[in-house]
Amino acid sequence: MRLSVVRRPEAWSLYGEAERADPLGCYLAVLALGVNRALEVIGRDLPHHGVDEVLDLAREQRLALLAGKVEDMINTVVRQIAFYSFERAVHTERKNGELTAERIGQLWLSVQGESLGPAIEIKPGYETFWMYMPHFIHSPFYVYAYAFGDCLVNSLYAVYEHASEGFAERYLDMLAAGGTKHYSELLRPFGLDAKDPKFWDGGLSVIAVMFDELEAMG
């Protein structure tokens, strides 16, 4: 575990969850799915915040760091939402009867085409690529948690920036609660409501700002 913590920052945050909630036992120690994924994302994302204030980076280094962060966000939010949209489309049509492999491939191409946009050329053969995602088979509708987690992390960091006093204590209390509370209860001490569209707008706006910064630097 120590080696994992050093090599993968997200592992540190997941380890923190396990340690704080350990007294609850193995059945209640794990946080709600979306919040649990947020811990993985926050361990990966926090090193990017304020790095310019700590390190004297050259322009090329800052550009590479920002590009990597934007790519992570695309994979965590845009890509996972596309996966979720594909799952919904497949299961919705499945209510009316069996789906052929060809039809599933058509649904995959439709969703991926919208997600990737005109800049990416989708070539023949890609219609079968949905099969390489084990989540669709073994953990249906799991992928939403990644997008939820990323937006939650951005919203939590905004709370920290505007009111850092007492934030650490509230964050540790959230970890210690494990799976004993609904996500709405876990977010309430931070003044966050995932049912409010502004919650999602806030998380997505962070991504938009980084896109704009990356384009300006390019």
Side-chain angles (χ1 to χ4, degrees), residues 34-35 38 77 144-159 174 183-184 186-188 190-207:
V35 183
V77 178
Y144 86 91
Y146 292 105
F148 181 95
D150 201 286
C151 288
L152 172 56
V153 166
N154 292 333
S155 297
L156 281 174
Y157 191 77
V159 171
M174 181 178 73
Y183 74 86
S184 59
L186 295 173
L187 300 184
R188 192 171 297 131
F190 301 95
L192 298 174
D193 180 7
K195 294 183 179 180
D196 186 347
K198 292 181 180 179
F199 168 83
W200 299 101
D201 291 341
L204 294 174
S205 67
V206 173
I207 303 177

Side-chain angles (χ1 to χ4, degrees), residues 74-141:
I74 291 174
N75 284 333
T76 308
V77 178
V78 180
R79 184 167 177 259
Q80 301 301 329
I81 289 176
F83 287 170
Y84 175 73
S85 297
F86 167 72
E87 283 189 284
R88 285 196 62 180
V90 169
H91 285 269
T92 298
E93 285 205 15
R94 178 64 181 84
K95 291 179 180 179
N96 301 321
E98 293 282 352
L99 299 182
T100 64
E102 181 181 8
R103 179 54 186 158
I104 296 176
Q106 290 171 349
L107 293 172
W108 172 256
L109 291 178
S110 174
V111 170
Q112 290 299 301
E114 181 182 4
S115 168
L116 297 172
I120 304 297
E121 180 185 358
I122 297 179
K123 296 185 177 181
Y126 187 65
E127 67 275 4
T128 63
F129 268 51
W130 63 270
M131 293 187 226
Y132 88 100
M133 285 297 299
H135 298 69
F136 297 150
I137 307 300
H138 302 299
S139 310
F141 296 103

